[in-house]
Amino acid sequence: MIKIKKLRMKNFKSFKKAEIPFSDGFTSIAGPNASGKSNVLDSLLFVFGITSLKLLRAAKLSELINHDAAEDYAKVEVD
């Protein structure tokens, strides 16, 4: 069975830099509206190879990069 221990994002959508640990059992992502909860799911889809912009909720690839980022790339990693 595959287990995700940690999700790291840099310049992905609304995140300049984020690291989310996944505990054994159940992990919940909670927060107010427009805080980036659905972008966490988008980052997981992205890192596992989903290339459909429709599924990633973007009209073009450049929308996956944080608009406040100094770099012109987005990076997502899982452990």
Side-chain angles (χ1 to χ4, degrees), residues 3-18:
K3 179 181 175 187
I4 300 170
K5 295 178 183 176
K6 191 181 297 182
L7 174 68
R8 284 188 299 278
M9 295 174 277
K10 182 173 182 183
N11 302 329
F12 188 83
K13 287 196 162 188
S14 60
F15 297 97
K16 285 185 182 177
K17 186 175 181 183

Side-chain angles (χ1 to χ4, degrees), residues 52-77:
S52 166
L53 290 175
K54 184 176 180 180
L55 291 176
L56 294 172
R57 301 175 315 110
K60 52 188 176 180
L61 281 175
S62 61
E63 291 179 6
L64 299 179
I65 302 170
N66 184 294
H67 65 276
D68 292 329
E71 300 91 358
D72 60 351
Y73 68 89
K75 183 176 180 179
V76 181
E77 298 175 310

Side-chain angles (χ1 to χ4, degrees), residues 14-15 29-40:
S14 60
F15 297 97
I29 306 295
N33 289 344
S35 63
K37 299 178 300 292
S38 58
N39 291 345
V40 173

